[in-house]
Amino acid sequence: DTEVTQTPKHLVMGMTNKKSLKCEQHMGHRAMYWYKQKAKKPPELMFVYSYEKLSINESVPSRFSPECPNSSLLNLHLHALQPEDSALYLCASSQDVDRGYYEQYFGPGTRLTVT
Amino acid sequence: QKEVEQDPGPLSVPEGAIVSLNCTYSNSAFQYFMWYRQYSRKGPELLMYTYSSGNKEDGRFTAQVDKSSKYISLFIRDSQPSDSATYLCAMEGTSYDKVIFGPGTSLSVIP
């Protein structure tokens, strides 16, 4: 099973709301990633978790807060977002960051609209 | 110079054609080269990856890497309308846990 699931599929939120995006994988992968993708652009890396510890934080604003409760789950908490944060948010996983990091499996994404 | 460049297209071909998608890159240290397919409003799907130079074949898809020219290609034989998607090349970044994506080429296969 090479499936990464993400919920919700779509999310509309106001600039003062707090919401969370969820990601789950059952492939036994120990690295999980959050990407942001704007229309007609490639995915941009936001965060990398390795063995449930934050490994990479690509200078993402603090209004995005990642959390990795266990090796299968990854959350992205959102607070006080701006309209320019509207995008497709993608979760991915790989075996780990030392082996197989080049073989990432992506979820379907959450399409976020900030009003 | 961008690290990874890719012709954005759109590329439109008739069904059954051979499609060639290409990327160039600037960092000679890259070792792993990946191709992802992304349908509209979906997440990217890994098609295949290659290590260092050479060819790799998987069904109708062939990936080719020429490290001396810093050039990679994906060939699709007997293209089908279901191949219509955006194709993203990707490479391991200079940090071991980062992948750098090209901007993507939009492909339409016309029945």
Side-chain angles (χ1 to χ4, degrees):
Chain A
D1 181 8
T2 56
E3 190 178 25
V4 176
T5 59
Q6 287 188 246
T7 55
K9 285 191 169 65
H10 302 277
L11 178 63
V12 179
M13 61 185 290
M15 290 191 284
T16 57
N17 291 158
K18 285 185 182 181
K19 296 285 185 184
S20 296
L21 310 184
K22 297 185 184 302
C23 173
E24 189 167 9
Q25 57 89 11
H26 293 290
M27 294 178 276
H29 288 171
R30 302 314 297 264
M32 295 185 77
Y33 310 77
W34 279 116
Y35 288 87
K36 173 182 177 180
Q37 187 177 28
K38 301 284 266 185
K40 299 192 186 299
K41 297 287 187 186
E44 296 174 33
L45 184 66
M46 299 174 74
F47 302 104
V48 180
Y49 271 85
S50 174
Y51 289 84
E52 299 154 53
K53 292 191 186 329
L54 186 63
S55 170
I56 291 281
N57 175 346
E58 288 287 349
S59 301
V60 177
S62 59
R63 57 186 184 268
F64 295 92
S65 174
E67 178 197 17
C68 190
N70 61 53
S71 59
S72 301
L73 292 173
L74 186 65
N75 298 323
L76 186 63
H77 303 297
L78 314 172
H79 173 56
L81 294 193
Q82 304 297 308
E84 60 265 27
D85 296 321
S86 298
L88 182 67
Y89 287 84
L90 294 159
C91 173
S93 70
S94 67
Q95 188 175 359
D96 65 35
V97 293
D98 290 319
R99 295 185 307 271
Y101 57 88
Y102 42 83
E103 195 173 354
Q104 294 187 19
Y105 294 89
F106 283 81
T110 292
R111 187 157 299 280
L112 173 68
T113 303
V114 181
T115 60
Chain B
Q1 184 184 8
K2 292 182 184 174
E3 283 198 280
V4 180
E5 303 212 47
Q6 190 174 5
D7 185 341
L11 180 62
S12 185
V13 302
E15 183 175 354
I18 296 175
V19 177
S20 172
L21 303 165
N22 310 298
C23 284
T24 58
Y25 62 95
S26 57
N27 191 333
S28 58
F30 290 161
Q31 293 279 44
Y32 284 95
F33 305 91
M34 292 76 78
W35 285 97
Y36 285 85
R37 176 175 65 194
Q38 187 171 23
Y39 292 113
S40 182
R41 297 180 172 270
K42 301 287 187 186
E45 170 194 3
L46 179 65
L47 286 174
M48 55 204 306
Y49 67 87
T50 52
Y51 176 74
S52 195
S53 283
N55 292 0
K56 187 173 183 179
E57 189 175 316
D58 184 0
R60 296 185 295 110
F61 298 89
T62 299
Q64 202 170 74
V65 175
D66 181 351
K67 289 196 72 180
S68 61
S69 302
K70 298 197 192 88
Y71 190 89
I72 70 170
S73 300
L74 178 72
F75 298 97
I76 307 174
R77 289 185 300 281
D78 186 26
S79 55
Q80 302 294 310
S82 58
D83 295 327
S84 299
T86 295
Y87 290 80
L88 299 151
C89 64
M91 307 171 191
E92 56 160 334
T94 50
S95 300
Y96 64 86
D97 49 0
K98 284 175 65 173
V99 168
I100 297 173
F101 286 89
T105 298
S106 174
L107 171 67
S108 291
V109 181
I110 311 301

